[in-house]
Coordinates of all heavy atoms in Angstrom, one line a residue:
A367 N 110.1 106.7 131.9 CA 108.9 107.2 131.2 C 108.6 106.3 130.0 O 109.5 105.6 129.5 CB 109.2 108.6 130.8
F368 N 107.4 106.5 129.5 CA 107.1 105.8 128.2 C 106.0 106.5 127.5 O 105.2 107.3 128.1 CB 106.8 104.3 128.4 CG 105.5 104.0 129.1 CD1 104.2 104.1 128.5 CD2 105.5 103.7 130.5 CE1 103.1 103.8 129.1 CE2 104.3 103.5 131.2 CZ 103.1 103.5 130.5
A369 N 105.8 106.3 126.2 CA 104.7 106.8 125.4 C 104.0 105.5 124.8 O 104.7 104.5 124.5 CB 105.2 107.7 124.3
A370 N 102.7 105.6 124.7 CA 102.0 104.4 124.3 C 100.7 104.8 123.5 O 100.2 105.9 123.7 CB 101.5 103.5 125.4
G371 N 100.3 104.0 122.6 CA 99.1 104.3 121.8 C 99.3 103.7 120.4 O 100.3 103.3 120.0
Y372 N 98.2 103.7 119.6 CA 98.2 103.2 118.3 C 98.6 104.3 117.3 O 99.1 103.9 116.2 CB 96.9 102.5 117.9 CG 96.6 101.2 118.6 CD1 95.7 101.0 119.6 CD2 97.4 100.1 118.2 CE1 95.5 99.8 120.2 CE2 97.2 98.8 118.8 CZ 96.3 98.7 119.8 OH 96.1 97.5 120.4
N373 N 98.3 105.5 117.6 CA 98.7 106.6 116.7 C 98.7 107.9 117.5 O 98.2 107.9 118.6 CB 97.8 106.7 115.4 CG 96.3 107.0 115.8 OD1 96.1 108.0 116.5 ND2 95.4 106.2 115.3
P374 N 99.3 108.9 116.9 CA 99.3 110.2 117.7 C 98.1 110.8 118.2 O 98.0 111.5 119.2 CB 100.0 111.2 116.7 CG 100.8 110.3 115.8 CD 99.9 109.0 115.6
N375 N 96.9 110.4 117.6 CA 95.6 111.0 118.0 C 95.2 110.5 119.4 O 94.4 111.1 120.0 CB 94.6 110.6 117.0 CG 94.7 111.3 115.7 OD1 94.8 112.6 115.7 ND2 94.7 110.7 114.6
E376 N 95.7 109.3 119.8 CA 95.3 108.8 121.1 C 96.5 108.4 122.0 O 96.4 107.5 122.8 CB 94.3 107.7 121.0 CG 94.7 106.5 120.1 CD 95.5 105.4 120.8 OE1 95.1 105.0 121.9 OE2 96.6 105.0 120.3
A377 N 97.6 109.1 121.8 CA 98.8 108.8 122.5 C 98.7 109.2 124.0 O 97.9 110.2 124.3 CB 100.0 109.4 121.8
V378 N 99.4 108.5 124.9 CA 99.5 108.9 126.2 C 101.0 109.0 126.6 O 101.8 108.3 126.0 CB 98.8 108.0 127.2 CG1 97.3 107.9 126.8 CG2 99.5 106.7 127.3
L379 N 101.3 109.8 127.5 CA 102.7 109.9 128.1 C 102.6 109.6 129.5 O 101.7 110.0 130.3 CB 103.3 111.3 127.9 CG 103.9 111.6 126.5 CD1 104.2 113.1 126.5 CD2 105.2 110.9 126.3
A380 N 103.5 108.7 130.0 CA 103.6 108.3 131.4 C 105.0 108.5 132.0 O 106.0 108.2 131.3 CB 103.1 106.9 131.6
V381 N 105.1 109.1 133.1 CA 106.4 109.3 133.8 C 106.3 108.8 135.2 O 105.2 108.8 135.8 CB 106.9 110.8 133.8 CG1 106.9 111.3 132.3 CG2 106.0 111.6 134.6
T382 N 107.4 108.4 135.8 CA 107.4 108.0 137.1 C 107.5 109.1 138.1 O 107.8 110.3 137.7 CB 108.6 107.1 137.4 OG1 109.9 107.9 137.2 CG2 108.7 105.9 136.5
R383 N 107.1 108.9 139.4 CA 107.2 109.9 140.4 C 108.7 110.4 140.5 O 108.9 111.6 140.7 CB 106.7 109.4 141.7 CG 106.9 110.3 142.9 CD 106.2 111.6 142.8 NE 104.7 111.4 142.5 CZ 103.9 112.4 142.3 NH1 104.4 113.7 142.3 NH2 102.6 112.2 142.1
G384 N 109.6 109.4 140.4 CA 111.0 109.8 140.4 C 111.4 110.8 139.4 O 112.3 111.7 139.5
T385 N 110.8 110.6 138.2 CA 111.2 111.5 137.1 C 110.7 113.0 137.4 O 111.4 113.9 137.2 CB 110.5 111.1 135.8 OG1 110.9 109.8 135.4 CG2 110.7 112.0 134.6
L386 N 109.6 113.1 138.0 CA 109.1 114.4 138.4 C 109.9 115.1 139.5 O 110.2 116.2 139.5 CB 107.6 114.4 138.9 CG 106.6 114.0 137.8 CD1 105.2 114.1 138.5 CD2 106.6 115.0 136.7
Q387 N 110.3 114.2 140.4 CA 111.0 114.7 141.7 C 112.5 114.9 141.5 O 113.1 115.6 142.3 CB 110.7 113.8 142.9 CG 109.2 113.9 143.2 CD 108.9 112.9 144.4 OE1 109.6 111.9 144.6 NE2 107.9 113.3 145.1
R388 N 113.1 114.2 140.6 CA 114.6 114.1 140.5 C 115.2 114.9 139.4 O 116.4 115.2 139.3 CB 115.1 112.7 140.4 CG 114.7 111.9 141.6 CD 115.2 110.4 141.5 NE 114.7 109.5 142.5 CZ 115.4 109.3 143.7 NH1 116.5 110.0 143.9 NH2 114.9 108.5 144.6
L389 N 114.4 115.3 138.4 CA 114.9 116.0 137.2 C 114.6 117.5 137.2 O 113.5 117.9 137.7 CB 114.3 115.4 135.9 CG 114.5 113.9 135.7 CD1 114.0 113.5 134.3 CD2 116.0 113.5 135.8
T390 N 115.5 118.2 136.6 CA 115.2 119.7 136.4 C 114.2 119.8 135.2 O 113.9 118.8 134.5 CB 116.5 120.4 136.1 OG1 116.9 120.0 134.8 CG2 117.5 120.2 137.1
R391 N 113.8 121.0 135.0 CA 112.8 121.2 133.9 C 113.4 120.9 132.5 O 112.8 120.3 131.7 CB 112.3 122.6 133.9 CG 111.1 122.8 132.9 CD 110.6 124.2 132.9 NE 109.3 124.3 132.3 CZ 109.0 124.3 131.1 NH1 109.9 124.1 130.1 NH2 107.7 124.4 130.6
D392 N 114.7 121.3 132.3 CA 115.4 121.0 131.1 C 115.5 119.5 130.9 O 115.3 119.0 129.8 CB 116.8 121.6 131.1 CG 116.7 123.1 130.8 OD1 115.6 123.6 130.6 OD2 117.8 123.7 130.8
E393 N 115.8 118.8 131.9 CA 116.0 117.3 131.9 C 114.6 116.7 131.6 O 114.5 115.7 130.8 CB 116.6 116.7 133.1 CG 118.1 117.2 133.3 CD 118.6 117.0 134.8 OE1 117.8 116.8 135.6 OE2 119.8 117.2 135.0
L394 N 113.6 117.2 132.3 CA 112.2 116.6 132.0 C 111.9 116.9 130.6 O 111.3 116.0 129.9 CB 111.2 117.3 133.0 CG 109.7 116.9 132.8 CD1 109.6 115.4 133.1 CD2 108.9 117.8 133.7
Q395 N 112.2 118.0 130.0 CA 111.9 118.3 128.7 C 112.6 117.4 127.7 O 112.1 117.0 126.7 CB 112.3 119.8 128.3 CG 111.7 120.3 127.0 CD 112.0 121.7 126.8 OE1 113.2 122.1 126.8 NE2 111.0 122.6 126.6
G396 N 113.9 117.1 128.1 CA 114.6 116.1 127.2 C 113.9 114.7 127.2 O 113.8 114.0 126.2
V397 N 113.4 114.3 128.4 CA 112.7 113.0 128.5 C 111.5 113.0 127.6 O 111.2 112.1 126.9 CB 112.4 112.7 130.0 CG1 111.4 111.5 130.0 CG2 113.7 112.3 130.7
I398 N 110.7 114.1 127.7 CA 109.5 114.2 127.0 C 109.7 114.3 125.5 O 109.1 113.7 124.7 CB 108.7 115.5 127.4 CG1 108.3 115.4 128.9 CG2 107.4 115.6 126.5 CD1 107.4 114.1 129.2
G399 N 110.8 115.0 125.1 CA 111.2 115.0 123.7 C 111.6 113.6 123.2 O 111.3 113.2 122.1
H400 N 112.3 112.8 124.0 CA 112.6 111.4 123.7 C 111.3 110.7 123.4 O 111.2 109.9 122.4 CB 113.3 110.8 124.9 CG 113.6 109.3 124.7 ND1 114.9 108.9 124.3 CD2 112.8 108.2 124.8 CE1 114.8 107.5 124.3 NE2 113.7 107.1 124.6
E401 N 110.3 110.8 124.3 CA 109.0 110.1 124.1 C 108.2 110.6 123.0 O 107.6 109.8 122.3 CB 108.2 110.1 125.4 CG 108.9 109.5 126.6 CD 109.4 108.1 126.4 OE1 108.7 107.4 125.6 OE2 110.4 107.7 127.0
F402 N 108.3 111.9 122.7 CA 107.6 112.4 121.5 C 108.2 111.8 120.2 O 107.5 111.7 119.2 CB 107.7 114.0 121.5 CG 106.4 114.6 121.9 CD1 106.1 114.7 123.3 CD2 105.5 115.1 121.1 CE1 105.0 115.3 123.7 CE2 104.3 115.7 121.5 CZ 104.1 115.8 122.8
S403 N 109.5 111.5 120.3 CA 110.1 110.9 119.1 C 109.4 109.5 118.8 O 109.1 109.2 117.7 CB 111.6 110.6 119.4 OG 112.1 109.8 118.3
H404 N 109.1 108.8 119.9 CA 108.4 107.5 119.7 C 107.0 107.7 119.1 O 106.5 106.9 118.3 CB 108.3 106.7 121.0 CG 109.6 106.2 121.5 ND1 110.5 105.5 120.7 CD2 110.3 106.3 122.7 CE1 111.6 105.1 121.4 NE2 111.5 105.7 122.6
I405 N 106.3 108.8 119.6 CA 105.0 109.1 119.1 C 105.0 109.5 117.6 O 104.3 109.0 116.8 CB 104.4 110.3 119.9 CG1 104.1 109.9 121.3 CG2 103.1 110.8 119.2 CD1 103.7 111.0 122.2
L406 N 106.0 110.3 117.2 CA 106.0 110.8 115.9 C 106.6 109.8 114.9 O 106.2 109.9 113.7 CB 106.9 112.1 115.8 CG 106.3 113.4 116.5 CD1 107.4 114.4 116.6 CD2 105.1 113.9 115.8
N407 N 107.4 108.9 115.3 CA 108.1 108.0 114.4 C 107.5 106.7 114.2 O 108.0 105.8 113.5 CB 109.6 107.8 114.9 CG 110.4 109.0 114.7 OD1 110.2 109.9 113.9 ND2 111.4 109.2 115.6
G408 N 106.3 106.5 114.7 CA 105.5 105.2 114.5 C 106.0 104.1 115.4 O 105.6 102.9 115.1
D409 N 106.8 104.4 116.4 CA 107.2 103.2 117.3 C 106.1 102.7 118.1 O 106.1 101.5 118.4 CB 108.3 103.7 118.2 CG 109.6 104.2 117.5 OD1 109.7 103.8 116.3 OD2 110.4 104.8 118.1

């Protein structure tokens, strides 16, 4: 998965098909939390 954009106002999140099909909801939430860190921290 990845997060991309110049700032939080126009950020996007992208995940692979494998992420959707292979992870539980808790695990998906952990991945999204990881990517939100990149959004919030200016990465």
Side-chain angles (χ1 to χ4, degrees):
F368 68 81
Y372 285 108
N373 64 54
N375 287 310
E376 52 89 47
V378 306
L379 279 168
V381 303
T382 61
R383 173 61 56 184
T385 300
L386 290 184
Q387 294 179 333
R388 298 178 185 274
L389 300 186
T390 67
R391 192 182 198 280
D392 283 358
E393 291 162 353
L394 177 63
Q395 192 175 58
V397 168
I398 298 303
H400 176 104
E401 299 308 327
F402 259 78
S403 170
H404 291 309
I405 293 174
L406 293 168
N407 290 331
D409 296 346

